[in-house]
Amino acid sequence: MRVLLVEDEKGLSSALQKLLQKERYEVDAVYNGTDGLDWALTESYDAVILDVMLPEMDGFEVLRRLREEKITTPVLMLTARGSVEDRVYGLTAGADYYLPKPFETSELMACLKAITRRGDAVPRMKLAAGDVELSESDGKLRCTGTGKEIKLGAKEYQLMELFLRSPGQILPRETIQERIWGYDSEAEYNNLEVYVSFLRKKLTFLGSSVKLKASRGLGYSLEVGE
Ligand code: CA
């Protein structure tokens, strides 16, 4: 899951970044409305956390322009203004949720989970295939056959999640690359091989029959053994 955080209060921004990273979200942080709009238009995100009171362009304007450009990324708006008018305006301008400051971090996480889930075209699938299952709560990959489990790193988790969402399908390298590392990641291009090899080692450790198969020139697929 990749999130764009548009918040000009540095302290709050860095606290939210830490929190989100801990919850295994990939976070890009920007500090004004213009950058927020730029990044939201050019990058691919699962959600945008958008402050209302921002330098250069306010959150409502950012949101309005995003929707005008047919960008349907779920948006969670944050604001110190808590009036009913703002709340109504935010929702009619296309916000998916409106969270008045100050808020509890648990509240923010619940909202974020709700709006990103809502954004799925199909109901959330169980993160399991063959004899492995991935636990969202502790980030562990388990093999139901052997009963073994192992903790995954943040990137490994994201990659495994992607594979488990479409077992048997070849995922093009570019698609994986974009989902996990975002655009403009030439420097990290080879990381995909590295992370796939990490996951393969872990699958072997678990004694799983699930394989990550490389199809030359095409991409990778998760294959469920018999
Ligand atoms: Ca602000």
Side-chain angles (χ1 to χ4, degrees):
M1 285 281 184
R2 196 159 175 240
V3 174
L4 177 65
L5 175 62
V6 192
E7 167 61 71
D8 59 315
E9 288 166 50
K10 293 272 159 65
L12 179 59
S13 175
S14 81
L16 289 178
Q17 287 176 56
K18 283 198 191 95
L19 174 76
L20 291 164
Q21 281 157 359
K22 208 178 121 219
E23 298 281 335
R24 291 189 295 277
Y25 285 89
E26 182 89 352
V27 193
D28 286 335
V30 293
Y31 305 92
N32 64 63
T34 316
D35 285 349
L37 180 63
D38 257 18
W39 285 61
L41 286 177
T42 51
E43 302 279 321
S44 164
Y45 295 101
D46 297 293
V48 179
I49 300 176
L50 183 61
D51 188 27
V52 169
M53 299 297 281
L54 288 167
E56 297 180 30
M57 186 189 297
D58 75 27
F60 290 132
E61 183 62 15
V62 172
L63 180 61
R64 196 186 61 74
R65 294 207 198 177
L66 272 184
R67 295 305 186 230
E68 211 172 72
E69 296 294 323
K70 304 279 180 280
I71 303 289
T72 57
T73 312
V75 172
L76 170 59
M77 295 207 85
L78 306 178
T79 186
R81 296 198 249 169
S83 75
V84 176
E85 292 73 45
D86 277 354
R87 191 178 291 246
V88 170
Y89 184 52
L91 290 172
T92 53
D96 294 272
Y97 203 87
Y98 185 101
L99 191 61
K101 291 177 186 171
F103 48 81
E104 297 290 329
T105 52
S106 59
E107 234 185 321
L108 177 100
M109 290 316 304
C111 287
L112 196 56
K113 280 184 182 138
I115 63 167
T116 50
R117 199 155 298 172
R118 212 217 57 175
D120 287 354
V122 287
R124 208 173 176 77
M125 281 174 279
K126 200 182 163 202
L127 292 175
D131 59 5
V132 294
E133 53 186 37
L134 187 60
S135 164
E136 277 188 285
S137 54
D138 58 11
K140 281 181 180 166
L141 187 66
R142 283 185 190 84
C143 178
T144 51
T146 60
K148 283 188 181 177
E149 57 177 39
I150 193 164
K151 176 101 176 140
L152 298 188
K155 290 286 182 213
E156 294 171 343
Y157 181 94
Q158 288 174 27
L159 193 53
M160 200 62 204
E161 182 180 24
L162 206 56
F163 282 126
L164 287 174
R165 284 184 188 284
S166 44
Q169 278 180 40
I170 295 176
L171 300 173
R173 300 179 49 101
E174 295 71 27
T175 305
I176 303 176
Q177 207 71 35
E178 187 203 312
R179 297 291 296 181
I180 312 285
W181 286 275
Y183 297 111
D184 301 325
S185 55
E186 284 301 314
E188 291 189 276
Y189 200 66
N190 290 322
N191 276 4
L192 179 55
E193 272 68 47
V194 174
Y195 281 97
V196 166
S197 81
F198 288 163
L199 283 178
R200 281 176 174 154
K201 284 195 185 104
K202 292 194 172 176
L203 286 166
T204 304
F205 166 82
L206 293 175
S208 168
S209 59
V210 164
K211 302 259 180 285
L212 297 180
K213 189 175 155 226
S215 303
R216 193 168 284 276
L218 293 173
Y220 291 95
S221 58
L222 181 147
E223 302 293 336
V224 175
E226 60 292 326

